């Protein structure tokens, strides 16, 4: 049986149209959207039942103090444990009953606790619960993703550089500092016309991890914000390379390499490649089997073809790194030189969802992993995919804007169809921030990260890919102040023209 291990916002991958088994941790919103039917929801706990019971008693005492009840009465000090939910029980948190005071809501502690078994396969989509992940691996329980090395690769910029050097994967020239004062001095003396400052943080309190500017400006940034970065592990001062970015992903299972794919992303929030960097607003994904056809979209076909195969060769060097999903983000300069920038040792939004739709026509990756190692599974490696993110205000300033009047939750969302085929293009919605209200028989938002749309077609039909996807969105998804970039075709035309 396949189980998905969820943490915080890591529930977007779950397909609510099918039966899924999900393990949730404390304060995880995943189990709050389990009204999408037929989820088997169980909880992860690192503490013993005795400790949990003690915590429940302490919470009950605090509640009694607030209500002015007599704490000395023995019966009021006993915590009555609710019977565990059956796996088929549906936990409903819909727009109406979520705020009802006369209806008891199920808590995290009332979920049945999961018993890990070597008969199951467990999926991680992030670098959370690394201690649990390692313990399962040591017990020979099958786990996909989330190996402790993944967290290190993602957060320690110096180690990333050292791994690239060991594998002879080229990177931009760089210097390293181990204190903020040392970083400031290096920046002030740096010969780079433009530099990239990469900070390895020991906590999430640092407001930025990467910044690009002339070295003197970066030195001033650190001087003015010493308190924010004084606990950083190290600072990488890297030469800025002008060029185009592309990432290459590889998937392994039991140290066997399965598939490779490439992803080209638009990272800026606004059309015209303006605004803040959000990670990904839309993408174009293609398998390595289409390298030759993709290269035909460029002026220098042979050079671009050569560079993509070279990138794949670099990623093949990582086969011994214990990360079932791993990608390297590269930059290609005007002379077709490549430089590795960073690792992403986990699934990537939106890229992995788009690639999953190529492989199995479903934008939910755990439906195909590790199916690709089964002899009977024949993936559709002749398709390309386009993925685009749909959001609501105040995204991408969610952590800054706290005005309740601008809350993206509980807004009426009208959806005509979740999937459709237009002009030989298969289109599907991945509803990350959408929930269904059983009482109202309609959809509401539960996040400003509303949804993503993923489309697949053949390379010969690429001219219709973007326009058909945009028309699908306009015809099928209606939400107040819906946000998405509308310049995908122009973006990719310019991208390929640059080569």
């Amino acid at each position: 049986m396949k189980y998905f291990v969820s943490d915080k916002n890591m529930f977007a991958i779950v397909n609510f149209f099918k039966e899924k088994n999900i393990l949730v941790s404390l304060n995880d919103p995943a189990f709050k959207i389990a009204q999408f039917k037929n989820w088997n929801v169980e909880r992860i706990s690192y503490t013993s039942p005795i400790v949990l019971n003690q915590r429940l008693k302490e919470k009950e005492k605090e509640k009694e103090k607030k209500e002015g009840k007599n704490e000395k009465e023995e019966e009021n000090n006993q915590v009555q444990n609710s019977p565990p939910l059956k796996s088929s029980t549906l936990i409903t948190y819909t727009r109406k009953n979520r705020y009802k005071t006369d209806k008891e809501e199920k808590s995290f502690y009332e979920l049945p606790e999961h018993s890990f078994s070597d008969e199951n396969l467990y999926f991680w989509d992030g670098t959370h619960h690394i201690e649990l992940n390692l313990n399962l691996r040591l017990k020979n329980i099958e786990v996909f993703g989330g190996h402790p090395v993944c967290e290190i690769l993602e957060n320690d910029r110096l180690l990333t550089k050292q791994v690239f050097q060991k594998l002879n994967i080229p990177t931009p020239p760089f210097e390293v500092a181990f204190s903020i004062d040392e970083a400031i001095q290096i920046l002030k003396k740096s010969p780079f016309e433009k530099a990239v400052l990469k900070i390895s943080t020991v906590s999430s309190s640092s407001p930025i991890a990467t910044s690009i500017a002339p070295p003197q400006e970066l030195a001033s940034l650190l001087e003015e914000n010493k308190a924010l970065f004084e606990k950083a592990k190290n600072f990488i001062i890297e030469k800025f390379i002008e060029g185009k970015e592309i990432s290459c992903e590889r998937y392994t299972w039991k140290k066997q390499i399965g598939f490779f794919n490439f992803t080209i992303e638009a990272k800026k929030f606004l059309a015209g490649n303006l605004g803040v960097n959000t990670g990904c607003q839309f993408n174009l994904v293609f398998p390595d089997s289409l390298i030759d056809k993709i290269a035909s979209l460029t002026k220098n076909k042979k050079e671009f073809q050569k560079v993509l195969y070279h990138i794949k060769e670099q990623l093949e060097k990582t086969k011994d790194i214990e990360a079932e999903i791993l990608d390297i983000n590269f930059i290609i300069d005007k002379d077709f030189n490549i430089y590795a920038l960073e690792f992403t040792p986990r699934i990537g939004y939106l890229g992995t969802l788009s690639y999953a739709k190529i492989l199995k026509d479903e934008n939910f990756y755990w439906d195909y992993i590790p199916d690709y190692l089964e002899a009977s599974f024949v993936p559709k490696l002749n398709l390309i995919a386009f993925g685009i993110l749909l959001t609501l205000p105040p995204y991408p300033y969610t952590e800054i804007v706290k005005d309740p009047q601008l809350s993206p939750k509980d807004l009426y969302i009208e959806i005509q169809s979740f999937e459709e085929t237009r002009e030989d293009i298969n289109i599907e919605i991945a509803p990350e921030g959408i929930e269904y209200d059983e009482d109202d028989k309609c959809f509401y938002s539960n996040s400003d990260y509303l949804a993503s749309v993923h489309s697949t077609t053949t390379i010969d039909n690429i001219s219709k890919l973007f326009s058909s996807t945009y028309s699908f969105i306009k015809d099928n998804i209606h939400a107040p102040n819906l946000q998405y970039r509308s310049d995908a075709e122009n973006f990719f035309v310019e991208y390929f023209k640059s080569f």
Side-chain angles (χ1 to χ4, degrees), residues 354 357-358 361 383-385 424-426 454-458 465:
S354 299
K357 188 154 181 66
I358 289 176
D361 198 28
L383 301 176
I384 59 173
D424 296 322
I425 296 166
N426 296 321
H454 303 266
S455 310
T456 56
T457 191
T458 61
L465 177 61

Side-chain angles (χ1 to χ4, degrees), residues 301-340:
K301 175 182 176 181
K302 289 185 178 179
E303 288 294 330
F304 194 66
Q305 186 182 57
K306 181 180 176 181
V307 83
L308 292 185
Y309 280 116
H310 186 41
I311 286 174
K312 178 184 172 183
E313 289 171 3
Q314 304 308 302
L315 199 61
E316 286 175 333
K317 297 176 182 178
T318 69
K319 64 181 180 180
D320 292 328
I321 296 178
E322 294 192 66
E324 286 79 14
I325 301 177
L326 184 70
D327 84 40
I328 300 177
N329 191 29
F330 289 89
I331 194 159
I332 308 171
D333 71 10
K334 61 182 177 60
D335 298 318
F336 291 94
N337 297 310
I338 64 168
Y339 302 90

Side-chain angles (χ1 to χ4, degrees), residues 110-372:
E110 293 172 295
L111 292 172
E113 188 168 356
H114 183 73
S115 297
F116 291 91
S117 168
D118 58 9
E119 296 179 357
N120 298 326
L121 177 61
Y122 297 93
F123 292 84
W124 259 252
D125 78 338
T127 54
H128 53 82
H129 297 325
I130 58 175
E131 181 181 350
L132 172 62
N133 190 296
L134 181 60
N135 287 335
L136 294 179
R137 291 174 185 269
L138 293 174
K139 294 177 181 178
N140 294 318
I141 293 177
E142 291 189 330
V143 178
F144 191 98
H147 191 284
V149 73
C150 298
E151 182 184 43
I152 300 171
L153 285 175
E154 186 155 22
N155 297 320
D156 193 326
R157 305 307 179 101
L158 176 58
L159 179 70
T160 295
K161 289 288 189 182
Q162 292 170 334
V163 172
F164 285 145
Q165 288 178 333
K166 183 178 180 181
L167 297 175
N168 293 315
I169 298 175
T171 70
F174 72 96
E175 293 186 76
V176 60
F178 294 96
S179 71
I180 191 167
D181 290 328
E182 185 183 3
I184 291 170
Q185 292 304 312
I186 291 175
L187 284 165
K188 287 183 175 180
K189 299 176 182 179
S190 175
F192 303 149
E193 182 178 341
K194 199 173 183 180
V196 182
L197 176 63
K198 298 181 177 181
I199 304 172
S200 299
T201 57
V202 292
S203 71
S204 59
S205 60
S206 175
I208 62 170
T210 302
S211 188
I212 302 171
Q216 291 295 329
E217 291 185 19
L218 294 174
S220 299
L221 172 70
L222 293 181
E223 286 179 325
E224 294 168 4
N225 297 277
K226 273 193 172 184
L228 293 175
F229 305 114
E230 60 184 1
K231 294 183 179 180
K233 292 173 65 177
N234 53 64
F235 302 79
I236 301 294
I237 296 94
E238 185 178 84
K239 180 181 179 180
F240 175 77
I241 304 294
E242 195 73 48
K244 296 293 185 180
E245 290 187 38
I246 188 170
S247 66
C248 185
E249 296 83 30
R250 64 104 170 117
Y251 299 79
T252 63
W253 182 241
K254 299 178 180 178
K255 296 191 176 180
Q256 297 180 58
I257 291 184
F259 298 132
F260 289 90
N261 73 279
F262 292 84
T263 302
I264 303 168
E265 294 178 323
K267 298 177 181 290
K268 298 290 187 179
F269 178 58
L270 299 174
N273 233 27
L274 302 174
V276 297
N277 188 332
T278 63
C280 182
Q281 286 297 125
F282 58 71
N283 64 30
L284 185 69
V285 179
F286 58 94
D288 62 324
S289 58
L290 292 181
I291 286 178
D292 296 350
K293 289 190 174 183
I294 289 292
S296 67
L297 300 174
T298 65
K299 295 178 182 178
N300 297 293
K301 175 182 176 181
K302 289 185 178 179
E303 288 294 330
F304 194 66
Q305 186 182 57
K306 181 180 176 181
V307 83
L308 292 185
Y309 280 116
H310 186 41
I311 286 174
K312 178 184 172 183
E313 289 171 3
Q314 304 308 302
L315 199 61
E316 286 175 333
K317 297 176 182 178
T318 69
K319 64 181 180 180
D320 292 328
I321 296 178
E322 294 192 66
E324 286 79 14
I325 301 177
L326 184 70
D327 84 40
I328 300 177
N329 191 29
F330 289 89
I331 194 159
I332 308 171
D333 71 10
K334 61 182 177 60
D335 298 318
F336 291 94
N337 297 310
I338 64 168
Y339 302 90
L341 301 180
E342 62 188 3
F343 285 113
T344 302
R346 52 173 170 76
I347 79 163
Y349 297 103
L350 311 168
T352 310
L353 305 186
S354 299
Y355 187 50
K357 188 154 181 66
I358 289 176
L359 288 179
K360 207 175 178 181
D361 198 28
E362 295 175 0
N363 54 20
F364 300 96
Y365 87 115
W366 75 346
D367 276 340
Y368 75 83
I369 298 174
D371 289 348
Y372 60 71

Side-chain angles (χ1 to χ4, degrees), residues 379-484:
K380 300 176 180 179
L381 295 180
N382 64 329
L383 301 176
I384 59 173
F386 170 52
I388 182 167
L389 178 63
L390 311 181
T391 62
L392 300 173
Y395 182 92
Y397 304 105
T398 312
E399 298 303 317
I400 300 174
V401 179
K402 299 297 183 182
D403 187 344
Q405 293 184 351
L406 296 177
S407 173
K409 297 184 178 181
D410 297 320
L411 301 176
Y412 173 67
I413 310 297
E414 184 180 355
I415 298 179
Q416 303 294 335
S417 175
F418 276 93
E419 55 186 325
E420 187 179 312
T421 299
R422 294 190 176 198
E423 299 184 285
D424 296 322
I425 296 166
N426 296 321
I427 309 171
E428 184 175 1
I429 300 172
E432 287 95 338
I434 300 172
E435 62 181 68
Y436 184 67
D437 191 303
E438 292 283 358
D439 295 332
D440 292 351
K441 304 299 181 185
C442 63
F443 295 96
Y444 290 96
S445 62
N446 60 32
S447 169
D448 57 1
Y449 195 101
L450 188 67
S452 56
V453 176
H454 303 266
S455 310
T456 56
T457 191
T458 61
I459 185 71
D460 301 327
N461 199 33
I462 191 172
S463 62
K464 299 177 182 178
L465 177 61
F466 309 111
S467 59
S468 294
T469 304
Y470 282 128
S471 66
F472 170 85
I473 293 171
K474 291 179 181 178
D475 294 343
N476 287 280
I477 306 172
H478 304 285
N481 302 313
L482 186 64
Q483 305 175 141
Y484 58 91

